[in-house]
Amino acid sequence: MNRTSTTATTPGPATHAAPPRGTAADRSAARAVAPGRPPGRRDQRRPASARPRRRTHLPPHELFAERLLAVLSGHRPVHWMLGHTVGEAYEQLVRLAPAAPLRARGARPVVRTCRGFQPCAGVVEASASIAAGEQVRALAFRLEQSADLRWRCAAVEVGGERAAAGS
């Protein structure tokens, strides 16, 4: 008896032959597999995730110069500094803030320089120059460290006002 063998295929998952590289079918298959990958890219590596930048630790006088600038330029309300002031400083801010002495037309004011002097432990006397366009103003303030080791503003002065003619 002469037997001829026949091979039967069993039903299973459909397999597709890979099209030759570089064809339109190859590119469309790559897009179907990895929608985030640019067309034609065969590299499996992914770019590193963008982590938010951490703000470097600022000395207390530089941090307070930024905060006082935000209040005295009108970008933040006075009550924003309520927990960061002690003594007469809050009343000084309440008197100064409505006039927004550090507001400038056009350019947003920035802290150009900030210097601090520590006359004794737990006290920093600081001065900052605030620039907005070509205009430069002076800001002086005193910080005191409380028993809970938090710095609080104890006094604020703004300079750079032009004297009125004839005064």
Side-chain angles (χ1 to χ4, degrees):
M1 184 163 140
N2 195 3
R3 290 189 178 188
T4 57
S5 87
T6 59
T7 57
T9 58
T10 58
T15 58
H16 299 286
R21 291 183 134 186
T23 64
D26 185 28
R27 287 190 296 272
S28 66
R31 278 194 295 269
V33 173
R37 189 179 313 147
R41 179 175 173 182
R42 292 179 182 84
D43 189 9
Q44 297 296 321
R45 293 176 297 162
R46 301 308 243 159
S49 63
R51 288 185 223 136
R53 277 186 123 178
R54 275 193 165 168
R55 190 172 185 172
T56 58
H57 179 71
L58 291 177
H61 60 279
E62 291 182 15
L63 180 65
F64 271 85
E66 295 285 344
R67 289 177 183 220
L68 290 169
L69 173 61
V71 170
L72 295 174
S73 64
H75 289 100
R76 289 284 188 164
V78 178
H79 67 267
W80 187 58
M81 290 293 292
L82 191 56
H84 302 286
T85 56
V86 66
E88 188 68 24
Y90 187 73
E91 283 80 20
Q92 289 172 331
L93 285 174
V94 168
R95 284 192 301 269
L96 288 170
L102 298 179
R103 178 177 291 167
R105 295 177 193 236
R108 184 177 178 137
V110 294
V111 176
R112 189 164 74 175
T113 62
C114 186
R115 301 174 198 267
F117 171 71
Q118 200 164 8
C120 61
V123 175
V124 174
E125 293 179 351
S127 64
S129 64
I130 310 298
E134 293 182 13
Q135 183 181 21
V136 178
R137 298 300 232 352
L139 174 65
F141 54 97
R142 178 183 174 98
L143 301 177
E144 295 177 356
Q145 195 172 28
S146 60
D148 63 356
L149 301 179
R150 291 179 56 198
W151 290 96
R152 291 187 172 87
C153 185
V156 180
E157 287 186 28
V158 177
E161 296 288 332
R162 292 189 177 182
S167 51

